[in-house]
Amino acid sequence: MNISKEQLDELNAVVTVDIAKADYSDKVEKILKDYRKTANIPGFRKGHVPMGFVKKQYGKAVLVDEVNKLLQDALNKYLTEEKLDVLGNPLPKEQEDFNWDADDYSFQFELGLAPDFEVNINGKEAITHYKIVPTEEMIDNQVTTMQKQYGKLIAKDAAEAGDVLSGTFANEEEAIENTTTVELDKIKGKKNLDKFIGAKVGDVITVKTKGLFEDDHDLIAALKIDHDKAHDLNIEVTFTVTEVNTQELAELDQELFDKLYGPGTVKTVSELKDKIKADAERQFEQQSDQQLLNAVTESMLENTKFELPAEFLKKWIQVTGENALSEDEAKDEYEKSEKGLRYQLIEGKIINENNLQVTFDELKAFAKDLIKSQMAQFGQMSPEDKELEDIAARILSNQDEVKRISEQLMSQKMLTFYKENAKLKTKEVTFDEFVKEVYK
């Protein structure tokens, strides 16, 4: 067997694999002899089928199968040993005069090669890394929410602003009938609110759904409908009042603080607000970090220039999918995926050059941290390490979970790398300012 490579240009090559009869004949002969011993063919006793008959009936199929196996193994070994960084997979070239009745064969494969380039994380301008801070109003609103959560409802005769009404929303034509509670603070507009003010048990209120609540998600919950149906829904619904209550807020005292954060963790209103602020900043950090990942990605794509073997990749896309594509369809698919492919190459180069690969020990430790975080949400603050080990082992036995957690960990590693190496400028903003600047 002989393998040779013709370099067409920096990004394209052709590999030729020559296979001689001596490379496959012994293997083919052995398979046919084994088949002769075991084959059950009508008209012949087992083990006494004439070899000529076996070769005539099955020789070509066995030959093709063995040559293809030999070819694939040899090609993979060659690519590995020569350290060829290929994009996609080798594509067999069409050979019109190919003859399986010959003794020796020659196969050719087109290769698309990964480009050689230097990663440039930074452009001329520093990348903005946002620090999102909660406003005093946001913190005060969270304090009030906590007081409501641990407060109590007191029944009253007629509704006033700020009260809570229980009842049933209904619309027979749309098959809507949902029993719920409505906080009058969430009703949008004086015209709508006036319909609820003064309401008593047994009253039936008719309102339009469009613009009923400050937040559309409240409409989804109130009517128990899906998001798509709620979008631009403009129908009349009735609300039959079954209870009228006023919300008595819980006192901002040690009893409430202990319920919220555990005994003695928070002792004053000022400490409570500091805690809320810190928790909010941690939550905002996830959004800020995701924005930073996006910004650095765009910067690298803009500032790291290299060519791709475009024609090879279009051809590869055309023939390797579940369904064959036309040239125009393959071109469209390539244009859609080109940006993602460029980023994969850039990210792969960063990972390899900076030893950022995910190890199994890192993956297991990361999985255990995720498990601890989830258990803490259900009040299990100090799980045993053996319990964490057992749960992590179960999770990591699932390949889909391994892939998902590996991607999370790699994203975290890349984020840390960017924070340490990219040219950043920190900008402190409120959440509303962040949304306005980033999502415009």
Side-chain angles (χ1 to χ4, degrees), residues 196-264:
F196 289 87
I197 298 295
K200 300 178 180 179
V201 173
D203 286 354
V204 179
I205 302 166
T206 302
V207 289
K208 285 279 187 72
T209 55
K210 189 172 180 63
L212 179 58
F213 290 98
E214 294 286 353
D215 187 337
D216 285 343
H217 291 92
D218 290 324
L219 180 66
I220 294 170
L223 304 185
K224 206 170 185 179
I225 55 177
D226 60 41
H227 187 276
D228 291 339
K229 187 171 183 177
H231 185 64
D232 289 333
L233 184 67
N234 188 17
I235 60 171
E236 278 193 348
V237 292
T238 59
F239 182 75
T240 304
V241 182
T242 56
E243 291 183 26
V244 178
N245 297 294
T246 188
Q247 179 82 58
E248 184 180 273
L249 302 181
E251 292 291 333
L252 290 172
D253 55 19
Q254 194 61 49
E255 182 182 357
L256 177 61
F257 302 153
D258 290 348
K259 286 178 181 177
L260 291 169
Y261 294 105

Side-chain angles (χ1 to χ4, degrees), residues 269-286:
V269 173
S270 177
E271 289 180 5
L272 174 65
K273 290 186 175 183
D274 287 343
K275 187 78 170 167
I276 292 171
K277 183 174 184 290
D279 289 345
E281 287 178 351
R282 275 195 296 273
Q283 292 177 4
F284 289 148
E285 188 176 8
Q286 295 178 4

Side-chain angles (χ1 to χ4, degrees), residues 301-350:
L301 286 169
E302 184 178 342
N303 294 292
T304 302
K305 304 296 184 184
F306 54 84
E307 295 296 319
L308 291 171
E311 293 309 311
F312 169 84
L313 290 170
K314 290 173 191 174
K315 189 185 297 186
W316 179 71
I317 290 171
Q318 185 178 1
V319 301
T320 57
E322 288 186 13
N323 300 307
L325 303 178
S326 68
E327 285 189 19
D328 288 341
E329 289 172 332
K331 181 182 176 183
D332 288 343
E333 285 300 312
Y334 172 73
E335 289 173 354
K336 291 175 187 175
S337 61
E338 182 188 7
K339 189 174 181 180
L341 175 57
R342 287 180 178 278
Y343 179 69
Q344 285 178 15
L345 290 172
I346 292 171
E347 184 184 56
K349 192 172 183 70
I350 291 173

Side-chain angles (χ1 to χ4, degrees), residues 125-399:
E125 300 292 327
I127 298 169
T128 302
H129 184 204
Y130 291 95
K131 182 182 179 182
I132 309 171
V133 294
T135 62
E136 286 299 321
E137 180 184 7
M138 189 179 290
I139 293 171
D140 289 340
N141 287 341
Q142 183 60 26
V143 171
T144 301
T145 298
M146 289 173 166
Q147 288 181 277
K148 285 182 177 179
Q149 181 183 353
Y150 288 93
K152 57 184 179 180
L153 295 174
I154 300 174
K156 57 188 300 188
D157 293 331
E160 298 177 276
D163 285 346
V164 179
L165 273 61
S166 295
T168 302
F169 279 107
N171 178 294
E172 186 174 347
E173 187 175 333
E174 295 291 332
I176 293 171
E177 185 172 358
N178 186 49
T179 300
T180 186
T181 58
V182 176
E183 296 179 34
L184 296 192
D185 286 345
K186 294 183 178 180
I187 297 295
K188 183 177 181 180
K190 186 175 183 303
K191 184 177 179 181
N192 284 327
L193 184 59
D194 284 346
K195 293 184 179 182
F196 289 87
I197 298 295
K200 300 178 180 179
V201 173
D203 286 354
V204 179
I205 302 166
T206 302
V207 289
K208 285 279 187 72
T209 55
K210 189 172 180 63
L212 179 58
F213 290 98
E214 294 286 353
D215 187 337
D216 285 343
H217 291 92
D218 290 324
L219 180 66
I220 294 170
L223 304 185
K224 206 170 185 179
I225 55 177
D226 60 41
H227 187 276
D228 291 339
K229 187 171 183 177
H231 185 64
D232 289 333
L233 184 67
N234 188 17
I235 60 171
E236 278 193 348
V237 292
T238 59
F239 182 75
T240 304
V241 182
T242 56
E243 291 183 26
V244 178
N245 297 294
T246 188
Q247 179 82 58
E248 184 180 273
L249 302 181
E251 292 291 333
L252 290 172
D253 55 19
Q254 194 61 49
E255 182 182 357
L256 177 61
F257 302 153
D258 290 348
K259 286 178 181 177
L260 291 169
Y261 294 105
T265 304
V266 171
K267 297 178 181 178
T268 65
V269 173
S270 177
E271 289 180 5
L272 174 65
K273 290 186 175 183
D274 287 343
K275 187 78 170 167
I276 292 171
K277 183 174 184 290
D279 289 345
E281 287 178 351
R282 275 195 296 273
Q283 292 177 4
F284 289 148
E285 188 176 8
Q286 295 178 4
Q287 291 169 285
S288 173
D289 284 348
Q290 185 58 55
Q291 189 279 331
L292 178 62
L293 276 174
N294 295 341
V296 175
T297 298
E298 290 300 323
S299 177
M300 288 192 300
L301 286 169
E302 184 178 342
N303 294 292
T304 302
K305 304 296 184 184
F306 54 84
E307 295 296 319
L308 291 171
E311 293 309 311
F312 169 84
L313 290 170
K314 290 173 191 174
K315 189 185 297 186
W316 179 71
I317 290 171
Q318 185 178 1
V319 301
T320 57
E322 288 186 13
N323 300 307
L325 303 178
S326 68
E327 285 189 19
D328 288 341
E329 289 172 332
K331 181 182 176 183
D332 288 343
E333 285 300 312
Y334 172 73
E335 289 173 354
K336 291 175 187 175
S337 61
E338 182 188 7
K339 189 174 181 180
L341 175 57
R342 287 180 178 278
Y343 179 69
Q344 285 178 15
L345 290 172
I346 292 171
E347 184 184 56
K349 192 172 183 70
I350 291 173
I351 291 168
N352 290 330
E353 290 183 350
N354 297 278
N355 296 317
L356 300 179
Q357 295 87 348
V358 172
T359 67
F360 180 75
D361 286 342
E362 288 175 327
L363 186 64
K364 186 168 77 168
F366 186 70
K368 286 168 69 174
D369 285 342
L370 290 176
I371 296 164
K372 282 175 69 175
S373 177
Q374 290 174 350
M375 293 175 76
Q377 294 176 15
F378 295 95
Q380 293 177 264
M381 308 305 293
S382 302
E384 296 275 340
D385 191 62
K386 185 181 183 307
E387 184 180 10
L388 293 174
E389 286 277 350
D390 291 344
I391 298 173
R394 287 199 300 273
I395 290 173
L396 297 179
S397 67
N398 183 315
Q399 288 304 308

